[in-house]
Amino acid sequence: MSDPVKVSRRTLITVGGAGLAAALAGVGGTAEAAAAGVAGAAVPTPGSGGIPPGPSTYGWDPADLLDFDPATHPWGRHLRCLVPLAPRIAPFAPTQAHPDLDPGVRLSTLSLDDAGTIYEGRNQPIGLEGHTYTQRFWPYIDVWGTWHGQVLPSVPSDVVADPGAPGRTYGVIDIPNPGWTEAAHKNGVKTIGGWFWPRSGVDFGEFLVQAADGSFPVGDKLIEIRRYFGFDGLFINQEATITAAQAGKLRDLFRYLKAKDPGFYLQYYDADLPNGDLDYQNTLNAKNVPWLGSPGDQTVDSIFVNYGWPYVDPDLSGSARTAKTAGFDPRAVAFAGVEHQQGGFNPEECFTDYAYPGHPGPVSVGLFVEDQFWANAAWSGETTTAAGRAKYRDLEQRFWSGPTGNPATSGRLEPRKPPYRTDVLNYRKWDGIAHGIVERSPYGALPIVTTFNIGVGSTFYLDGKQVRDGGWDNQGCADRSLTWQYWTDGVTVALDESTAYEGAHSLALSGTGVVHLFKTDLTQTAATEVRVVAQGLSSVEIGVTRRTNPGSIEWARLTPARRSAGWTEYRGRIARDDDRIARISLRTSGSGHLGKVFLADTLTADLAPNRPGSFTVADAGPGAGATRHLTFAWHLQADAAAYDVLQNGRWLGRVHRDVFFAESVDLTNGRVFGLVPIAANGNRGPAVTAAL
């Protein structure tokens, strides 16, 4: 495999996250953004924060796994994902951005779920960092995995804060950030944690201990933590030679996991062979395909094919043939790796040469650290400014939607040619993920509501009024993603943090035209209530595409109904029809902002949750300066999907759990706190209060 930037896979996971930008700065690769810098910006130093206050995940070795007890885990309840994996609707080609793109090709990705945070050695699901990265293009992802490694719980805070310190030992296992799992599950995406071997100080044989009854103690604990924390499986990065006997036991362990927990998804990296040798095949072949087992007795679910495939299996037909011969669907079990951590928009591997509109891909695709550009920008300080964040969110849009930013017009604007892994931010050479992967959707039922919350911000608004003036990050409270960002005709759209109706962002619109929002499969039982909150627009119309007539859009003008805090709510209805709704669009004119889109059955549109029955607050210790950390707890209620925690009207956070940790709360702003339940339709119920 040609590799102009010689950084080993082991170095990548050990250096981790945004800190890799420093490692690459001396050797090229994706460090161009890191070299740019921002004059006067306060540059966060990734990895410098040690152990964050409050809940954080960490690395696990076999001893940590065997000792795990939910009743004694200090932050267990705060790290759980209680959001179930949402079902996705069936493909429907006429409402795809590319109707001739094959939906059978799937996408997995290994991403930095800590890109930009100072807490590189630990993973903080909820924090105070408005410059960190969050994912908003979930519709293209089928399986999302965490990639960075985390330090063992026994490592002291000062050692965790120094990436070069001796004794900064990483665990073999790390679970995905629970907030990312929440966001993924809302969009129908499975999440997988990391398994990385080798790690210092751990005897690999401890993973393979088998009891007299045939059980694997470590396997039982892996199942327990998967179910307790609510994620879906593991990426197996087994990257050091082991004995043939150990490799056999490892296959037995995987088979045990699958037998006891069929929902445990395992993706295996093309590194160690079934005989234990470390030997990258760069294709799916007779040597590595035994890891899959057989269709009736599967060992792992899929294999992430190493990045050298363009030199070994250039058109990926060999991998597809091997999978078929073994009895598997090639696009379910083979994921061709694309190395974005070093390659950015110009990787050596180009999957869309073989999977594009009108040409079905032979296998599926696996992305490796596609968000490195954000980590580098955070390292240089660029994401500490609103302008910097806008720049890199625009790059993110072009990565996923194509160089025009519109998935319907994806495809490179400049030819690809060597040298690769250079000019890595030149999106004109990149087709876009939307050029090879069909957008998926969880929008199979009402209600549908979005305020364009992407799970991070430098402010927070409720009903158009600012209720927070400091940075925050919590991927878990993000709204379900728009299906396309942005499939438009005649109107310009951009994510904007200068104002918001609820959350920290709105959509800035300019011109007259159409923006398609949601791919749906909706059966109406009554008329559908539509409410759109906007400011500055001359007109707003709702557009419906029906299943039996997908070539046309039914338009209905929405009427201004009420005004509040500079925002106007437009209302209307979609009459009940037996023909299912396949797409929701808006047609607007003028220049302004879109703050909220709401669709619900007219019979349930105004339902709101009841007042919570319990709510407590407790002091969790000193925070920064004279502030205090606080913990909150309550009982979940069936009519609430989320909860806001406030201090005298100031927003502290939003969660889907029954607990919340608030970092560094200034008690001079008040000692009375409120808990507000939020229904699935976004309506807010009455608050319950508690005093400290």
Side-chain angles (χ1 to χ4, degrees):
M1 176 180 179
S2 174
D3 192 356
V5 184
K6 297 294 185 181
V7 180
S8 73
R9 195 66 44 236
R10 190 168 305 123
T11 299
L12 295 182
I13 197 168
T14 301
V15 173
L20 181 64
L24 291 178
V27 293
T30 54
E32 285 93 334
V38 176
V43 181
T45 305
S48 67
I51 299 173
S56 63
T57 59
Y58 51 77
W60 305 63
D61 64 16
D64 295 305
L65 289 170
L66 295 174
D67 286 344
F68 173 69
D69 180 352
T72 59
H73 191 290
W75 295 109
R77 288 172 61 191
H78 293 258
L79 300 174
R80 302 185 72 188
C81 169
L82 303 179
V83 177
L85 181 65
R88 284 174 156 178
I89 65 176
F92 184 59
T95 55
Q96 293 174 185
H98 291 291
D100 54 349
L101 193 60
D102 188 344
V105 179
R106 307 171 195 187
L107 184 145
S108 70
T109 182
L110 296 171
S111 306
L112 302 173
D113 50 358
D114 59 359
T117 177
I118 64 171
Y119 299 113
E120 177 269 333
R122 291 280 196 268
N123 203 323
Q124 186 183 43
I126 300 174
L128 304 180
E129 298 178 289
H131 57 271
T132 61
Y133 181 75
T134 58
Q135 175 60 261
R136 61 190 173 107
F137 287 87
W138 296 108
Y140 298 100
I141 303 173
D142 294 284
V143 179
W144 172 83
T146 180
W147 182 264
H148 46 65
Q150 295 185 67
V151 181
L152 292 173
S154 56
V155 177
S157 180
D158 59 334
V159 177
V160 174
D162 181 1
R168 196 175 190 266
T169 308
Y170 286 79
V172 175
I173 306 292
D174 62 302
I175 70 172
N177 184 314
W180 282 62
T181 298
E182 290 174 314
H185 280 188
K186 292 177 188 179
N187 290 279
V189 178
K190 293 181 179 178
T191 68
I192 54 178
W195 164 309
F196 187 88
W197 179 264
R199 291 297 195 196
S200 61
V202 179
D203 176 4
F204 186 67
E206 294 178 23
F207 280 94
L208 308 176
V209 172
Q210 191 169 15
D213 62 1
S215 65
F216 286 85
V218 164
D220 289 332
K221 282 296 184 178
L222 288 173
I223 292 170
E224 183 180 0
I225 67 167
R226 186 195 83 77
R227 290 174 172 171
Y228 180 77
F229 292 114
F231 62 102
D232 301 289
L234 290 172
F235 180 81
I236 308 297
N237 198 107
Q238 187 69 19
E239 208 163 357
T241 295
I242 55 178
T243 68
Q246 288 177 323
K249 279 289 187 184
L250 186 58
R251 290 198 301 277
D252 291 342
L253 172 60
F254 294 160
R255 189 174 291 110
Y256 179 80
L257 289 173
K258 298 295 292 180
K260 287 201 67 176
D261 186 3
F264 203 124
Y265 187 92
L266 294 171
Q267 185 173 80
Y268 190 85
Y269 178 44
D270 168 27
D272 276 13
L273 296 177
N275 67 1
D277 290 347
L278 176 61
D279 190 358
Y280 310 94
Q281 298 302 293
N282 303 300
T283 185
L284 196 62
N285 61 19
K287 288 187 176 181
N288 58 14
V289 75
W291 279 114
L292 290 172
S294 64
D297 183 22
Q298 202 159 347
T299 308
V300 301
D301 294 274
S302 61
I303 293 178
F304 185 106
V305 177
N306 193 47
Y307 314 106
W309 56 263
Y311 308 98
V312 176
D313 184 15
D315 63 358
L316 296 164
S317 62
S319 291
R321 188 166 50 251
T322 298
K324 288 179 181 177
T325 301
F328 294 100
D329 175 356
R331 295 183 297 185
V333 300
F335 289 75
V338 180
E339 223 292 17
H340 293 289
Q341 187 162 46
Q342 299 174 64
F345 288 85
N346 192 25
E348 285 193 78
E349 311 81 14
C350 187
F351 183 77
T352 46
D353 280 348
Y354 313 104
Y356 52 86
H359 190 277
V363 299
S364 290
V365 61
L367 310 182
F368 182 71
V369 192
E370 83 290 342
D371 55 346
Q372 184 66 51
F373 68 91
W374 189 280
N376 291 348
W379 181 271
S380 71
E382 289 187 82
T383 63
T384 60
T385 68
R389 290 189 291 274
K391 172 184 176 181
Y392 286 94
R393 285 295 183 190
D394 178 68
L395 277 175
E396 175 199 27
Q397 181 181 338
R398 296 176 193 274
F399 179 87
W400 291 93
S401 298
T404 66
N406 184 337
T409 57
S410 62
R412 70 195 73 164
L413 302 177
E414 293 180 3
R416 275 177 47 86
K417 56 185 179 181
Y420 302 118
R421 300 188 183 180
T422 61
D423 197 19
V424 296
L425 294 182
N426 185 353
Y427 56 79
R428 297 178 65 83
K429 298 179 180 180
W430 173 245
D431 287 317
I433 295 300
H435 205 64
I437 302 296
V438 169
E439 62 277 13
R440 333 286 192 192
S441 170
Y443 294 111
L446 296 173
I448 296 173
V449 60
T450 183
T451 61
F452 314 104
N453 179 356
I454 64 169
V456 68
S458 56
T459 57
F460 199 91
Y461 289 77
L462 287 174
D463 296 325
K465 299 177 181 179
Q466 187 172 335
V467 291
R468 184 187 181 97
D469 58 4
W472 61 276
D473 61 292
N474 176 9
Q475 172 79 88
C477 77
D479 294 335
R480 287 187 292 179
S481 295
L482 299 178
T483 305
W484 305 279
Q485 297 181 69
Y486 300 100
W487 183 2
T488 60
D489 182 9
V491 64
T492 300
V493 182
L495 188 72
D496 190 349
E497 66 173 274
S498 66
T499 188
Y501 180 73
E502 181 173 318
H505 294 83
S506 59
L507 294 189
L509 278 65
S510 179
T512 298
V514 176
V515 54
H516 301 298
L517 297 178
F518 308 110
K519 185 180 180 73
T520 63
D521 188 2
L522 300 175
T523 299
Q524 293 176 281
T525 58
T528 300
E529 180 79 12
V530 180
R531 299 171 187 172
V532 174
V533 178
Q535 60 177 207
L537 299 180
S538 303
S539 65
V540 180
E541 296 172 88
I542 189 73
V544 171
T545 301
R546 299 282 182 179
R547 291 273 300 193
T548 61
N549 191 16
S552 67
I553 302 176
E554 302 171 7
W555 291 105
R557 192 177 185 92
L558 302 181
T559 303
R562 68 181 181 93
R563 290 176 172 82
S564 175
W567 293 86
T568 300
E569 182 180 78
Y570 296 80
R571 291 195 173 195
R573 286 188 175 184
I574 302 169
R576 183 189 177 281
D577 194 301
D578 290 336
D579 194 358
R580 302 204 305 274
I581 298 174
R583 184 177 58 194
I584 301 293
S585 310
L586 287 182
R587 186 163 63 188
T588 64
S589 61
S591 295
H593 291 85
L594 197 61
K596 181 178 181 178
V597 176
F598 169 97
L599 297 101
D601 188 303
T602 53
L603 302 177
T604 60
D606 293 317
L607 290 181
N610 294 314
R611 188 188 309 275
S614 66
F615 182 47
T616 60
V617 57
D619 191 325
T627 66
R628 306 294 298 182
H629 301 320
L630 304 177
T631 58
F632 301 87
W634 56 91
H635 295 306
L636 295 175
Q637 55 196 89
D639 60 355
Y643 301 85
D644 275 349
V645 179
L646 301 106
Q647 177 192 28
N648 280 351
R650 178 179 181 271
W651 187 81
L652 297 180
R654 176 175 296 175
V655 292
H656 303 287
R657 309 180 188 96
D658 56 358
V659 287
F660 175 65
F661 175 87
E663 180 181 343
S664 298
V665 177
D666 184 355
L667 295 180
T668 63
N669 292 325
R671 290 174 170 266
V672 176
F673 301 89
L675 179 74
V676 177
I678 306 169
N681 61 11
N683 291 339
R684 301 166 67 79
V688 63
T689 61
L692 183 67

